Amino acid sequence: MNKPYTRTHIANFQQIISTMLIGAAISLSGCATTAVTEQQNMANKDDPYENINRKTFIFNDTVDEYVAAPISDAYKWITPQFMQTGVFNFFSNLKNINVVINDVLQAKFAQSAHDTGRFALNTTMGLGGFVDVASQVGFRTK
């Protein structure tokens, strides 16, 4: 007849599991160490342009902080919201050209016709795309 598990059986089981987890943690921690090599200052074989990339990143980050961010903050402060929306609509309308080409290349001709109609309506009636007339007429983006 089987005996039910007692507290000693459960305690032994917990001790075995704990020992196994500690042993696994100790043995796997050796895999996480890295050896110090003499070639640490040399370029990485995976990225031979690492030095140029780092300098370019620092330059771009500096330009962003001292030139681009102040210009964008000034634009947001000076330009009224309706004008910002118009500029956003204009560039979104320009992106629709790529969407139409993509639809045709994927043989989605109904979607292409819909997107072409949206582009044509916003370009002609929407003053070059500054006003999103197509959404008001029913040509919603999908």
Side-chain angles (χ1 to χ4, degrees), residues 31-46:
C31 298
T33 61
T34 58
V36 177
T37 61
E38 297 173 10
Q39 301 175 352
Q40 214 167 15
N41 292 333
M42 294 179 62
N44 189 353
K45 291 180 184 177
D46 295 333

Side-chain angles (χ1 to χ4, degrees), residues 10-73:
I10 294 173
N12 287 341
F13 182 71
Q14 287 176 341
Q15 186 179 10
I16 291 170
I17 294 295
S18 298
T19 306
M20 289 174 61
L21 288 175
I22 291 171
I26 291 172
S27 64
L28 291 177
S29 67
C31 298
T33 61
T34 58
V36 177
T37 61
E38 297 173 10
Q39 301 175 352
Q40 214 167 15
N41 292 333
M42 294 179 62
N44 189 353
K45 291 180 184 177
D46 295 333
D47 187 7
Y49 302 109
E50 181 179 2
N51 292 334
I52 295 170
N53 291 340
R54 289 187 185 276
K55 291 175 185 173
T56 303
F57 174 78
I58 291 170
F59 173 78
N60 289 341
D61 199 35
T62 305
V63 168
D64 181 54
E65 183 177 348
Y66 293 108
V67 178
I71 289 174
S72 80
D73 290 341

